[in-house]
Amino acid sequence: LFKGTSPKNSSNPTSEGYSLSIDGGTVSRVPFSRPYFLSTGKAHITLPDGTTLEIDGPTHLEVKPRGFSLLHGKILANVKPQDITFRGKTPRGEIKIKRGIFRCESGPEMCSVEIVSGEAELSRLGEPPARVLAGKKIFWTIKNKLPPASGSVEISPSEEP
């Protein structure tokens, strides 16, 4: 189940929180205050700007008004257009996107980001950003343990911090 601060029932999110539904159940309002863990199932999060995050458990993340920090797990983000850039952070890098859809998966040995629509700026921590268009998938790996998939680009670390 989803662990963290107890959600409050609400159908109208504010800038202080987001809407959350677990496995299609009741929509609750959750504050932007600390990391959460979804152990099993699926969660649907709607941010105040209309951006949605589809989460598959197990996932550990912190949701922010215009982004997230993903410690591990899987997210499908549908980012609504705004003047403020949406930022997805992982232990290995960062995704910046104004609008579009992307998938992000982070695990102990790799992180992958697939741009489904739109374009994004991806950067491995400590390295310059790269512009990535729809249809591309990026892998950030430890010691090149995973080969890039077809149509993918691999960004490998020179050393792990």
Side-chain angles (χ1 to χ4, degrees), residues 92 105-112 138-142 146:
R92 291 186 180 76
E105 181 174 353
S106 183
E109 295 187 8
M110 69 92 191
C111 177
S112 67
I138 301 294
F139 289 95
W140 291 313
T141 64
I142 297 175
L146 297 175

Side-chain angles (χ1 to χ4, degrees), residues 64-152:
K64 300 176 181 187
R66 191 73 178 148
F68 62 80
S69 291
L70 178 64
L71 300 174
H72 68 81
K74 297 177 184 178
I75 292 181
L76 173 66
N78 185 344
V79 178
K80 299 301 178 193
Q82 295 289 321
D83 291 335
I84 300 169
T85 299
F86 184 92
R87 293 173 186 259
K89 294 183 179 182
T90 75
R92 291 186 180 76
E94 182 176 39
I95 305 110
K96 294 179 185 176
I97 189 168
K98 289 277 191 177
R99 70 172 186 264
I101 300 171
F102 70 92
R103 288 184 181 89
C104 183
E105 181 174 353
S106 183
E109 295 187 8
M110 69 92 191
C111 177
S112 67
V113 179
E114 179 183 6
I115 307 304
V116 177
S117 69
E119 67 180 67
E121 185 178 278
L122 303 182
S123 57
R124 182 171 164 74
L125 296 178
E127 295 184 8
R131 185 172 145 226
V132 180
L133 302 175
K136 294 292 183 181
K137 189 170 188 175
I138 301 294
F139 289 95
W140 291 313
T141 64
I142 297 175
K143 299 178 185 174
N144 300 324
K145 289 184 181 180
L146 297 175
S150 176
S152 301

Side-chain angles (χ1 to χ4, degrees), residues 31-89:
F32 293 118
S33 60
R34 64 180 191 168
Y36 289 91
F37 180 70
L38 176 68
S39 60
T40 62
K42 295 184 180 288
H44 177 88
I45 292 173
T46 303
L47 300 177
D49 68 5
T51 293
T52 59
L53 305 174
E54 300 292 334
I55 316 271
D56 289 330
T59 293
H60 192 189
L61 77 154
E62 180 179 351
V63 180
K64 300 176 181 187
R66 191 73 178 148
F68 62 80
S69 291
L70 178 64
L71 300 174
H72 68 81
K74 297 177 184 178
I75 292 181
L76 173 66
N78 185 344
V79 178
K80 299 301 178 193
Q82 295 289 321
D83 291 335
I84 300 169
T85 299
F86 184 92
R87 293 173 186 259
K89 294 183 179 182

